[in-house]
């Protein structure tokens, strides 16, 4: 049996190695048009920033190591230019010699990946504009910085790669700006969670131009929809699209985006041809709808599934939920599952809550609070999405929540998880447990919530009582107009000051003390609502709303 694999990065390399482990006698050929195989795409920004110092560390395997360990024939600088499904052959061009030859296959795996989108912007072909997809791209950017020594850089696009590039360019000593068409960075986040990211990234000296787009590039000037900005280096990072022209030309079915259509076995519409990775249309694990989620983890799993099926094992790919994590200087940002926009688009009747809990025991040095948001389906109570922002222990908690989603756990199941505890690592009641406790209180009616976006709709008259239960010191740092102040520890003695015949809307810093206040009030016959996420979240979002959408050039 002979299997030819087109594309030798995540999905293709994973498929080749798995197939060899399943079948020692199989003939396996990887065709890679570039000069590197099985390289670490996700590590490329860190080479530019100097965190990864050795270029060789970006390559996980070489043609030689593939041959010696797996007996796989890896042909770099060999480009597949045509597929003939009827004859089961691939036409290949040797990019060094120019020779064109045919390679027969019994099974074919397509893993061409995705290519950076280059919008039709005047000036985009300027010599200072770069995209980042592979090691040669990385080398070009690195050499340009070392040779030209630019002082300023603009990153167009605020997704994961764009933000990582901004961080690493800043670490390399450049003045950096990010331009993003949407109202917030990192699309899988909701705006309210992204507000913390925006504040932090500005503190690190990176300028943000949100709700803004690029009209043209004129020399060293980026002309925006609102304003303009100078730059000596420009990174174009506005997304990727599947690179599937080869598949389309041979008759393989694709969708309107160009993604290859595959079944759960990673089979395409043509017999004996499989496809994996960023080039394929996959299924959202939660909504079961079609999705394009280009991530390395899913690509590797899909490569394994394709190899299994070629070897006679009936493996299925069960969908992608979009679990991802981002390092931003010392901050960590992680997401999994659906955000509010996607949940609403899927017509899911969902609820949500926020907590602000320590990464480990407060009395042990170095604890930082984690800002956590979770969504669950009101009908089934299944966890459908989570977002976490913090500085320590973020990935650990997000991985737990991603696992809960994968095994279709209810949000209330989080209360019973027995997680590792010691003061340097966590708390006896872990933030994940706390998330379950808060959700359980909401679901069972022990507490009712209102949200930061509800505050401007609340009547500021005698029909309601607006109550702030923080300390006097906290109130002096900032307050919400119309809220009277009674510290939680004085509430029992002063409860008679609060009318009993109208609802009470309560907030504290994070939502914990106001929950305690609400339980006091409810136990005394009051109708009480607790501000989810508290003053901290409200202030973060409102502060973000008041920041100008762009910084004028005169202010820079």
């Amino acid at each position: 049996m002979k299997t030819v694999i087109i594309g030798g990065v995540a999905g293709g390399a994973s498929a080749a190695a798995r197939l060899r482990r399943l079948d020692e006698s199989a003939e396996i050929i990887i065709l890679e048009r570039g000069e590197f195989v099985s390289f670490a795409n996700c590590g490329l920004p860190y080479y530019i920033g100097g965190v990864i110092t050795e270029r060789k560390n970006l390559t996980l395997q070489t043609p030689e190591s593939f041959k010696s360990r797996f007996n796989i024939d890896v042909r770099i600088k060999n480009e597949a230019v045509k597929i003939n499904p009827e004859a089961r052959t691939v036409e290949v061009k040797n990019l060094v010699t120019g020779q064109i030859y045919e390679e027969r296959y019994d099974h074919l795996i397509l893993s061409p990946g995705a290519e950076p989108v280059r919008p039709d912007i005047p000036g985009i072909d300027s010599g200072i504009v770069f995209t980042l997809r592979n090691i040669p791209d990385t080398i070009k950017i690195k050499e340009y910085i070392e040779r030209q020594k630019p002082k300023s850089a603009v990153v167009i696009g605020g997704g994961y790669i764009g933000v990582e590039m901004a961080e690493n360019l800043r670490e390399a000593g450049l003045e950096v700006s990010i331009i993003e068409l949407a109202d917030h960075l990192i699309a899988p986040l909701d705006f309210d969670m992204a507000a913390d990211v925006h504040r932090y990234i500005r503190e690190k000296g990176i300028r943000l131009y949100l709700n803004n787009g690029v009209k043209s590039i004129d020399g060293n000037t980026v002309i925006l929809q609102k304003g303009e900005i100078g730059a000596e280096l420009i990174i174009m990072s506005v997304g990727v699209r599947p690179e599937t022209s080869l598949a389309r030309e041979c008759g393989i079915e694709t969708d309107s985006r160009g993604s290859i259509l595959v079944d759960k076995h990673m089979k395409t519409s043509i017999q004996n041809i499989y496809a994996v990775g960023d080039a394929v249309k996959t299924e959202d694990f939660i909504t079961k709808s079609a999705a394009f989620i280009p991530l390395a983890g899913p690509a590797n799993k899909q490569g394994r599934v394709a190899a299994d099926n070629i070897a006679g094992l009936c493996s299925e790919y069960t969908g992608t939920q979009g679990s991802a994590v981002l390092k931003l200087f010392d901050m960590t940002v992680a997401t999994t599952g659906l955000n509010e926009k996607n949940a609403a688009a899927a017509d899911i009747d969902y609820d949500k809550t926020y907590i602000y809990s320590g990464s480990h025991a407060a009395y042990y040095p170095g604890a930082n609070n984690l800002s956590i948001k979770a969504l669950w389906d009101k009908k089934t109570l299944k966890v459908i999405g989570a977002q976490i922002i913090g500085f320590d222990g973020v990935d650990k908690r997000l991985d737990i929540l991603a696992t809960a989603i994968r095994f279709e756990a209810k949000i209330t199941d989080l209360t019973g998880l027995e997680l590792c505890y010691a003061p340097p690592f966590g708390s006896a009641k872990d933030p994940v447990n706390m998330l379950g406790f808060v959700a359980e209180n909401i679901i069972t009616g022990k507490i009712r919530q209102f949200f930061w976006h509800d505050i401007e709709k609340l009547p500021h008259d005698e029909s309601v009582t607006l109550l702030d239960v923080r300390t006097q010191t906290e109130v002096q740092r900032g307050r919400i107009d119309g809220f009277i102040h009674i510290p939680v520890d004085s509430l029992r003695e002063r409860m008679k000051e609060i009318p009993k015949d109208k609802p009470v809307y309560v907030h504290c810093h994070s939502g914990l003390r106001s929950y305690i206040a609400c339980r006091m009030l409810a136990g005394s016959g009051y109708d009480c609502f607790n501000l989810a996420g508290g003053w901290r979240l409200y202030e973060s979002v409102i502060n973000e709303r008041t920041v100008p959408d762009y910084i004028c050039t005169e202010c820079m």
Side-chain angles (χ1 to χ4, degrees), residues 375-443:
L375 279 65
W376 66 90
D377 186 317
K378 284 185 180 180
K379 182 179 179 181
T380 65
L381 302 186
K382 290 178 183 178
V383 187
I384 60 171
Q387 303 163 40
I388 308 181
I389 296 169
F391 295 91
D392 180 49
V394 171
D395 53 338
K396 168 183 173 179
R397 276 58 181 232
L398 196 282
D399 281 343
I400 296 168
L401 294 171
T403 304
I405 291 175
R406 180 59 58 164
F407 288 102
E408 301 186 324
K410 297 178 180 179
I411 188 77
T412 49
D413 290 334
L414 303 181
T415 64
L417 294 181
E418 186 174 334
L419 304 174
C420 296
Y421 162 60
F425 303 104
S427 300
K429 290 186 287 190
D430 190 85
V432 174
N433 299 133
M434 293 301 298
L435 193 62
F437 295 146
V438 172
E440 183 180 65
N441 286 336
I442 295 164
I443 292 163

Side-chain angles (χ1 to χ4, degrees), residues 149-167:
K149 296 180 171 48
K151 293 183 173 60
S152 61
V154 166
V155 178
I156 302 174
Y160 284 104
I161 296 297
V163 171
E164 287 175 344
M165 279 301 303
E167 174 203 4

Side-chain angles (χ1 to χ4, degrees), residues 454-474:
D454 296 322
I455 290 179
E456 62 185 9
K457 307 170 197 171
L458 291 175
H460 285 60
D461 56 30
E462 295 183 358
S463 64
V464 300
T465 298
L466 307 179
L467 178 61
D468 181 343
V469 298
R470 297 176 298 158
T471 65
Q472 184 62 44
T473 301
E474 289 174 300

